Amino acid sequence: MKPNYQYPLEPDWTTADMVAVITFYSLVEDAYEKGVDRDNFLAAYRAFKQVVPDQMTEKRLGREFEQVSGYSLYHVVKAARAGAGQRIRLGGVRHD
């Protein structure tokens, strides 16, 4: 069961934008909790980057997400890019 907290979202995003970002956040959580398919994660990251193309906003949202969830967007993206395996799992270690 996922913890009860609010994802960092921007009020000017469309519903489709919010769905893309929430899907990405959910996969970041899954990468820590149970593991995710690398290709699915990278596809969700590409969709996230369509909504949040600039690095500064991505970093800000990443910090906000990590504050509420304890999970690092950066560490999962880094693992997905570096990994050769099909699954990404960060061992359930939260970066509090």
Side-chain angles (χ1 to χ4, degrees):
M1 188 157 107
K2 303 245 185 220
N4 188 17
Y5 52 82
Q6 288 194 340
Y7 292 136
L9 302 170
E10 298 292 326
D12 61 333
W13 286 345
T14 66
T15 300
D17 291 346
M18 288 189 189
V19 168
V21 172
I22 289 168
T23 299
F24 175 65
Y25 289 156
S26 181
L27 287 172
V28 170
E29 293 169 336
D30 288 349
Y32 281 92
E33 295 168 7
K34 60 187 177 187
V36 294
D37 179 82
R38 181 177 177 269
D39 292 338
N40 288 346
F41 178 82
L42 289 173
Y45 180 62
R46 284 190 296 275
F48 171 80
K49 290 302 289 177
Q50 292 294 313
V51 178
V52 184
D54 65 289
Q55 195 71 22
M56 190 172 80
T57 303
E58 179 180 353
K59 286 182 179 183
R60 178 178 55 79
L61 291 172
R63 281 191 305 273
E64 291 173 10
F65 180 76
E66 191 166 354
Q67 286 176 341
V68 297
S69 70
Y71 299 132
S72 168
L73 303 181
Y74 171 78
H75 288 290
V76 181
V77 170
K78 182 179 173 185
R81 287 181 171 161
Q86 195 52 36
R87 297 225 20 110
I88 305 164
R89 175 143 169 82
L90 272 73
V93 178
R94 291 169 67 129
H95 294 271
D96 290 319

